[in-house]
Amino acid sequence: MNQEFLEVRGLKKYFEAGRPGLFSKDARKVHAVDGVDLTLRRSEVIALVGESGCGKSTLALLLMGLEDPTEGAVKFEGMDITHLNDSQRKKKELRRKIQMVFQDPYESLNPTQTIEEIITEPLLVHGMANTPDRDERVKKALEDAGLKPAEVYLDRYPHELSGGQRQRVVVAAALVLEPEIILADEPVSMLDVSIRAEIINLLAELRITRQIAVIFITHDLGSVGFFADRVAVMYLGRIVEVGTMLEVLENPKHPYTKALISVIPVPNPRLRHERIILQGETPNPINIPSGCRFHPRCPVAIATCKASDPPMVVVNKSHQAACLLLVK
Ligand code: SF4
């Protein structure tokens, strides 16, 4: 559990956003990911939380090797995988070991394929379909994803299943490749509230039964509950706070994290706390604000916040946050 097997250092991804302007001879760039450091341990669940457009999905694509970073490095099991060529065996192996579960189970599944064909397809793509245990693997993936007995589902089509069952099929299509990491990008946001917990519980089980690490990407800190071991809060391409789930929920240090926590619905009205409503929209990632990038919306900003980019400050061994108010 303590072994760090995915390590990200100084990762940046800038996209060209247009031609050089009247006042600038450089092409404008979207700073989608702008200097991210992150580690993931075996069987660990980390929640990557932030508003839409903060760069969390781009970060996932970089980890999958589906985008090349502009700068920085990604190490997996001690090996630098930042610039692996598509034809290299290691990259194919990596694509098998890191699987993605997308937000929309309706779009993720081909409506013309049976469930058996959908789960077999990743094996075909990875050249793993011509083995005597192929059918067993497909059934096991379905059953580990909670679709039991598998025989009931093999000949069905996606439209014959409920939303929750379809998302389980998406998870099974990832599991059939025996991944070590699942990158779950908003995996419950399109589901009814009543079945969100089922999918979260499924992912929680898989980290125990299959020792799979999970990066759970979400805009809604409340949807994570205590399922995650750690939480990393992202704002405009950077991680601004990281710590254990308990520390961050109970003792948040960054004003942005405090705002996210303040809007989590609380069932008991007596425990309700003051909502912190942030002013304005998230700034355009083409024009990152000077100093602390959160300063235009920060309710407790001070004069120096406009000029100084806050460093990551160590709160304790497992908790860090980037805010000038923490600098001693
Ligand atoms: Fe707010 Fe300043 Fe801290 Fe940034 S550095 S989060 S603007 S108080």
Side-chain angles (χ1 to χ4, degrees):
M1 174 76 176
N2 288 326
Q3 193 182 348
E4 286 166 5
F5 76 132
L6 185 75
E7 206 178 341
V8 172
R9 288 284 165 249
L11 205 61
K12 296 185 180 177
K13 180 67 187 178
Y14 298 164
F15 295 101
E16 298 286 333
R19 299 190 178 166
L22 193 59
F23 303 106
S24 159
K25 52 185 180 1
D26 298 324
R28 298 186 312 152
K29 291 188 169 66
V30 175
H31 297 69
V33 172
D34 203 12
V36 164
D37 295 331
L38 190 67
T39 55
L40 181 71
R41 302 165 193 139
R42 283 196 191 277
S43 311
E44 183 182 36
V45 178
I46 188 159
L48 191 58
V49 182
E51 289 163 301
S52 120
C54 73
K56 50 197 193 308
S57 295
T58 305
L59 178 58
L61 296 177
L62 291 168
L63 299 180
M64 292 277 297
L66 297 174
E67 287 284 355
D68 281 329
T70 308
E71 251 183 75
V74 183
K75 276 188 181 178
F76 183 63
E77 294 176 326
M79 180 184 180
D80 191 335
I81 57 161
T82 320
H83 298 293
L84 287 180
N85 183 301
D86 271 354
S87 61
Q88 282 175 282
R89 194 178 61 78
K90 189 71 196 168
K91 184 138 187 177
K92 289 184 183 153
E93 184 64 3
L94 189 73
R95 290 250 168 95
R96 181 187 72 73
K97 288 184 175 178
I98 306 180
Q99 288 295 305
M100 197 133 183
V101 170
F102 290 98
Q103 176 178 31
D104 189 345
Y106 300 89
E107 279 193 0
S108 307
L109 302 175
N110 181 340
T112 67
Q113 289 184 313
T114 63
I115 303 306
E116 181 174 15
E117 287 166 342
I118 288 169
I119 309 297
T120 306
E121 190 162 283
L123 294 174
L124 289 165
V125 170
H126 285 264
M128 296 163 66
N130 292 325
T131 57
D133 63 346
R134 183 182 89 171
D135 293 347
E136 280 316 304
R137 278 180 183 237
V138 170
K139 285 184 198 165
K140 182 159 176 23
L142 280 170
E143 298 204 343
D144 283 2
L147 296 169
K148 298 179 193 173
E151 288 79 2
V152 170
Y153 298 93
L154 290 174
D155 294 332
R156 292 203 195 170
Y157 288 86
H159 72 269
E160 298 177 85
L161 305 181
S162 68
Q165 287 171 327
R166 289 185 217 199
Q167 194 60 305
R168 286 177 188 274
V169 172
V170 174
V171 172
L175 288 182
V176 77
L177 293 173
E178 295 179 5
E180 294 179 15
I181 300 175
I182 287 184
L183 280 165
D185 192 359
E186 303 272 10
V188 296
S189 62
M190 303 286 284
L191 301 176
D192 285 348
V193 175
S194 58
I195 47 181
R196 285 182 188 173
E198 283 181 26
I199 299 298
I200 287 179
N201 289 341
L202 170 63
L203 293 171
E205 266 171 47
L206 292 172
R207 55 92 62 96
I208 295 165
T209 55
R210 289 197 175 219
Q211 279 79 54
I212 293 175
V214 179
I215 299 180
F216 188 94
I217 298 169
T218 181
H219 66 281
D220 174 13
L221 190 50
S223 73
V224 186
F226 284 91
F227 147 68
D229 300 297
R230 285 190 300 148
V231 59
V233 178
M234 216 168 157
Y235 186 78
L236 263 188
R238 290 236 180 113
I239 289 175
V240 295
E241 181 155 10
V242 63
T244 66
M245 200 71 201
L246 199 64
E247 283 168 331
V248 173
L249 281 183
E250 294 195 344
N251 188 21
K253 294 295 181 191
H254 196 282
Y256 179 58
T257 315
K258 290 179 186 176
L260 293 181
I261 291 173
S262 79
V263 294
I264 297 175
V266 181
N268 182 345
R270 286 196 302 178
L271 298 177
R272 196 166 287 151
H273 31 238
E274 193 189 337
R275 287 166 68 98
I276 303 168
I277 306 297
L278 295 176
Q279 299 304 312
E281 298 292 315
T282 312
N284 186 332
I286 297 175
N287 299 312
I288 300 285
S290 62
C292 173
R293 56 191 61 204
F294 185 56
H295 87 256
R297 302 174 77 199
C298 182
V300 292
I302 51 176
T304 46
C305 299
K306 272 189 190 170
S308 302
D309 194 3
M312 213 41 153
V313 177
V314 174
V315 179
N316 64 44
K317 207 165 70 157
S318 55
H319 190 180
Q320 299 167 33
C323 174
L324 291 173
L325 299 183
L326 301 172
V327 177
K328 296 199 172 113

